Amino acid sequence: MYFMTPEQFQFVKKQAKKILNTYTTSNDQKVIQAIQALVQEEIDDKLTFGEIEQQIVLQPIFHIQSKEQLELFLKDIKQYVEPFQQPTEAELKKLFPKDKKLKLPKLELFDWQETSYLSWFDAGTNRKYIVYREDGALKGVRGTFSNSAKVGICTVCNQHAKVGMLLVSKKGLDMGTYTKRGNYICDDSGACNEALSDLEKFTNFVNNLK
Ligand SMILES: [Zn+2]
């Protein structure tokens, strides 16, 4: 019954906000119709529908005229989002064997249907952890994160947000050597996940760290 990933859900959410914004800023039927057509096209590009019922589920998106309608719509379609498969604490520890005193996040606080990647920050060590799945396999990277409180472009989601520098050590070509890769990424991983409607950007980001 699932037909959306968290990334696709965030994408649909963005489109829904676009429709709402159009209704609140324009009375021009032609403008509204043009945006509706555009949203239809974007959704068709992004999602693959197995059944006509799935398309019907999304139909109310074209008539969202209030915040309440937006919230109801999102609540309604969320049941069709396949959640990020929650890792166990043991699995997370296994990803970072060198970190003996690994501090784990409170996993019950995450909304897995809105999570494309899991991330948390350990203020004790200034390390930021990023965990994701690649073909089902759990993977992780971590680096030191300096919270600059600066506004910039996030490498992961490409939005303008409060970012910090994530510095990840990478094995060099010669044995025993290391190079460091720095990327500005969102301070708030929840907001980053919400803005992440194109998973390819995230994939490119983690692949560049390898
Ligand atoms: Zn981001």
Side-chain angles (χ1 to χ4, degrees):
M1 83 171 204
Y2 296 134
F3 68 92
M4 277 179 281
T5 62
E7 163 220 10
Q8 287 170 327
F9 173 71
Q10 302 296 6
F11 176 84
V12 172
K13 195 196 280 184
K14 255 184 212 173
Q15 302 301 321
K17 285 180 180 171
K18 206 186 278 177
I19 297 275
L20 171 60
N21 188 48
T22 308
Y23 273 114
T24 39
T25 54
S26 176
N27 288 320
D28 188 337
Q29 274 308 310
K30 277 197 181 134
V31 172
I32 293 168
Q33 279 168 13
I35 298 294
Q36 284 170 330
L38 192 71
V39 164
Q40 176 80 70
E41 211 178 293
E42 299 242 25
I43 288 176
D44 289 345
D45 272 357
K46 182 83 178 175
L47 276 80
T48 318
F49 298 104
E51 299 154 32
I52 188 85
E53 283 78 12
Q54 297 169 347
Q55 275 173 290
I56 293 168
V57 163
L58 294 186
Q59 283 309 302
I61 195 175
F62 299 107
H63 309 289
I64 294 173
Q65 301 182 33
S66 69
K67 269 214 148 126
E68 293 71 36
Q69 284 175 345
L70 174 71
E71 271 158 33
L72 267 175
F73 171 71
L74 295 174
K75 206 177 144 203
D76 186 48
I77 65 166
K78 217 165 167 180
Q79 59 184 302
Y80 303 102
V81 182
E82 182 165 18
F84 183 95
Q85 200 191 327
Q86 184 180 328
T88 63
E89 295 196 344
E91 282 176 316
L92 291 176
K93 282 181 183 156
K94 221 172 136 188
L95 285 179
F96 306 102
K98 283 184 193 157
D99 298 2
K100 298 289 176 227
K101 286 180 183 164
L102 180 64
K103 255 188 124 175
L104 294 173
K106 289 198 170 83
L107 293 172
E108 67 275 13
L109 297 182
F110 286 85
D111 182 340
W112 300 104
Q113 280 164 309
E114 302 221 18
T115 301
S116 294
Y117 74 93
L118 164 66
S119 180
W120 71 97
F121 178 66
D122 180 351
T125 56
N126 280 325
R127 281 181 185 145
K128 195 173 175 77
Y129 294 83
I130 291 172
V131 170
Y132 58 102
R133 287 190 188 273
E134 198 177 79
D135 301 323
L138 203 63
K139 302 207 166 171
V141 287
R142 66 125 161 90
T144 52
F145 188 70
S146 45
N147 192 334
S148 56
K150 264 200 314 199
V151 171
I153 302 271
C154 166
T155 313
V156 176
C157 68
N158 286 165
Q159 74 169 334
H160 235 87
K162 264 193 193 161
V163 291
M165 169 71 85
L166 178 75
L167 218 52
V168 176
S169 293
K170 179 181 155 168
K171 271 194 189 123
L173 288 175
D174 297 318
M175 270 239 305
T177 64
Y178 286 89
T179 54
K180 288 201 169 190
R181 285 275 165 98
N183 280 289
Y184 282 106
I185 64 166
C186 282
D187 191 11
D188 179 346
S189 311
C192 191
N193 264 288
E194 184 155 13
L196 184 62
S197 55
D198 180 0
L199 202 60
E200 215 180 298
K201 285 174 190 154
F202 176 80
T203 310
N204 289 340
F205 161 73
V206 284
N207 284 342
N208 272 327
L209 297 174
K210 281 177 192 163

